[in-house]
Every structure is written in C-alpha cells, then in structure tokens.
Amino acid sequence: MRYSSQVKPISYLKANAAEVLSHLSDQREPLIITQNGEAKAVLQDIASFEETQETLALLKILALGNQDVAAGKIKPVADVVARLRAKKASN
C-alpha cells in the first residue's frame, strides 16, 4: 500500500473532519496527518485499529512462546494431555 496518497495537512483535517472520518471508515486506509510539513500522526478507523491490536497481542503471545522454547520451558504434548485429562476426570 502506498501511503503517499494518504497524506494530508492538519488544516485539511480541521476543515473536513466529518468527511475524513467517513473516508477512513469506508476505505479502511490510514491517513497521515502533517504539521509544518512533517508527518505527526496517523489516523485509522476503529475496526482497523482493533484488528491491529489483536494482531499485536497474538504476536506477543508467539514471542513469549518462542522465549519459553529457547529457555527450555517445554513439556511433551502427551504429558500435558494426560495432566488435562486427569484434571478433567477429578472434576
């Protein structure tokens, strides 16, 4: 995705806030806001934001899992399944 077409100055955002929000929701593309010619912020629709947060959470879980594997904190799956079955049977 090219972001160059999605760059607007803050004055555009101020003058067209409702249109910008509608466009964000419809197109689901982020909008880069500049101030004095420098990129200062990125706006995105809430659905895209939530998806990004969920993706980051999953990536963090994977990274933590990789750290556990590297540290040797692993157990054979058969042992884990046996423990879960024993726990379920006792309930």
Side-chain angles (χ1 to χ4, degrees):
M1 169 186 294
R2 296 221 163 190
Y3 293 113
S4 58
S5 65
Q6 295 300 109
V7 177
K8 300 288 183 196
I10 196 165
S11 58
Y12 179 85
L13 176 62
K14 290 176 183 178
N16 301 285
E19 178 186 326
V20 167
L21 292 177
S22 178
H23 180 78
L24 287 172
S25 181
D26 294 342
Q27 300 300 314
R28 299 199 64 197
E29 294 177 348
L31 180 66
I32 299 167
I33 301 298
T34 63
Q35 186 176 33
N36 299 323
E38 290 185 39
K40 292 291 184 175
V42 177
L43 296 177
Q44 67 182 143
D45 66 287
I46 191 69
S48 295
F49 175 78
E50 288 172 343
E51 288 174 9
T52 300
Q53 295 304 305
E54 290 172 7
T55 300
L56 289 172
L58 289 172
L59 288 171
K60 185 170 185 169
I61 290 168
L62 288 172
L64 291 171
N66 285 337
Q67 288 176 358
D68 285 346
V69 169
K73 298 179 182 178
I74 56 174
K75 295 181 181 179
V77 80
D79 293 352
V80 174
V81 170
R83 190 183 83 200
L84 290 172
R85 286 185 177 151
K87 188 174 185 178
K88 185 177 179 182
S90 69
N91 287 337

